[in-house]
Amino acid sequence: MTALPRLPKTLVDSLRDVLTMSALPGETQDLDRRKQREVAEFVASAAAVRPPRTTAIKIESVGGDAGQRHMRLATINEDMPFLVDSLSGAIAERGIAIHRLLHPIIKAERDSKGKLKQIGEGDPESIIYFELDRIDARGRQELVRELKRILSDVRAAVTDWPMMLEQMRSDAATLDKRDSESAALLRFLADNNFTLLGHAHVDPNGRLKNALGILRNETALWQKDAAEAAVAHLADESRTVLILKADRISPVHRRVPLDVVMVRLPDGTLSVHAGLWTSEALRTSAQ
């Protein structure tokens, strides 16, 4: 991996303080002063340069006695929802045990090229530090590539969330005169009962348009036959809304099949909302 510039000792000390002081009980077990310094220097090298709207990520293997070898991973992003659960889920799905997780939120001041100048002033940033089971060099490269894709999806979902929420509310307003019950359902979902992660319009020829959130990066929600069947269900003009599960596993928040809400609009296009029902919504009476 490309060498990153080292930070001054004062910044390393500041990082050591925020990594340990914000930790929950048990998270710093067996992390003595020497190890704290090593962790801080590793995180500092990852955090030294992060251009705007990018992720800084670093992984390395750590030596030790047989059976005690592990690796460490650090990611630095602008602070946003879904970071820890999305990354932890992807790591766990690969069968890699997480032995330590530290997640301080700092304020970081950077120059125009993303070089870290000081901690304590500036914009909020998320530092996530993992200690993990050790895997080989190829596995480490694959893991980093996957985590970068996931973090790109998280950023897209969070950035586009206001537009996706407005689209769901707009669809509800469109349905008011034709199907008031479905309109009420969409408003219920938009009221913090559905974690919106992606949206797109599908024209009568099956082409995807105006993709938002995670659908910017990968548009497929089903295998071809299943997608055609879902669209066919909405060909019946008596049906305006279809709720179903996607084949695709959510890369953001929870590693489960995506929930999909499809709305047939008056012009014949489909408005496709992809996301996850919240736990509160799932506990709510169907009435």
Side-chain angles (χ1 to χ4, degrees):
M1 300 184 69
T2 303
L4 294 172
R6 296 176 64 87
L7 290 178
K9 181 180 178 181
T10 52
L11 283 176
V12 173
D13 288 338
S14 296
L15 283 171
R16 182 186 63 189
D17 291 342
V18 298
L19 283 163
T20 55
M21 292 175 63
S22 64
L24 296 173
E27 289 181 338
T28 56
Q29 184 177 352
D30 301 325
L31 201 63
D32 59 25
R33 295 286 292 181
R34 178 184 63 81
K35 291 181 180 177
Q36 289 176 18
R37 181 79 187 183
E38 290 176 357
V39 170
E41 289 177 344
F42 173 73
V43 172
S45 67
V49 178
R50 187 184 72 82
R53 296 185 58 77
T54 66
T55 295
I57 185 166
K58 183 175 182 179
I59 191 170
E60 70 177 16
S61 181
V62 180
D65 297 333
Q68 295 182 333
R69 295 169 184 167
H70 62 281
M71 62 183 183
R72 50 195 176 199
L73 168 75
T75 68
I76 292 84
N77 290 273
E78 60 268 36
D79 186 33
M80 63 182 76
F82 309 134
L83 291 172
V84 173
D85 44 2
S86 300
L87 294 178
S88 299
I91 291 168
E93 192 168 83
R94 283 177 167 259
I96 303 171
I98 299 173
H99 300 288
R100 192 188 312 277
L101 193 163
L102 302 175
H103 180 220
I105 306 298
I106 65 171
K107 287 189 174 181
E109 182 181 349
R110 297 181 180 272
D111 64 19
S112 59
K113 295 183 179 179
K115 183 178 180 180
L116 184 60
K117 296 172 63 177
Q118 66 172 320
I119 293 173
E121 300 289 338
D123 297 322
E125 292 192 11
S126 164
I127 295 175
I128 307 176
Y129 170 79
F130 293 98
E131 290 180 6
L132 307 167
D133 278 348
R134 188 174 182 176
I135 56 177
D136 61 25
R138 180 177 179 180
R140 292 196 295 273
Q141 292 173 356
E142 292 174 350
L143 178 62
V144 168
R145 283 195 295 270
E146 181 178 1
L147 296 185
K148 285 183 175 180
R149 285 194 298 269
I150 288 170
L151 290 167
S152 175
D153 281 331
V154 170
R155 181 175 285 107
V158 172
T159 300
D160 291 349
W161 177 81
M163 291 180 285
M164 294 188 289
L165 182 61
E166 178 58 32
Q167 183 62 59
M168 181 169 274
R169 289 173 173 162
S170 173
D171 288 352
T174 300
L175 292 180
D176 271 331
K177 293 182 179 180
R178 294 189 298 146
D179 186 348
S180 60
E181 186 170 314
S182 291
L185 173 62
L186 291 180
R187 289 194 174 93
F188 166 78
L189 294 176
D191 189 21
N192 297 319
N193 289 299
F194 192 80
T195 303
L196 285 159
L197 300 177
H199 178 268
H201 285 104
V202 181
D203 69 20
N205 296 317
R207 291 188 293 265
L208 214 64
K209 301 187 298 182
N210 307 320
L212 297 171
I214 63 172
L215 297 185
R216 284 199 222 164
N217 301 328
E218 183 182 338
T219 59
L221 291 171
W222 300 278
Q223 300 295 328
K224 185 175 185 294
D225 290 347
E228 291 174 351
V231 172
H233 272 293
L234 283 176
D236 179 357
E237 293 191 2
S238 66
R239 186 192 296 268
T240 56
V241 173
L242 184 65
I243 299 173
L244 63 166
K245 286 281 188 181
D247 294 332
R248 182 181 173 191
I249 299 297
S250 172
V252 176
H253 191 28
R254 301 197 305 269
R255 302 286 288 191
V256 296
L258 284 160
D259 295 302
V260 181
V261 180
M262 298 175 66
V263 182
R264 184 169 54 79
L265 300 176
D267 64 0
T269 62
L270 299 180
S271 181
V272 179
H273 305 269
L276 299 169
W277 288 72
T278 67
S279 56
E280 181 65 26
L282 293 173
R283 292 194 297 266
T284 300
S285 164
Q287 288 294 331

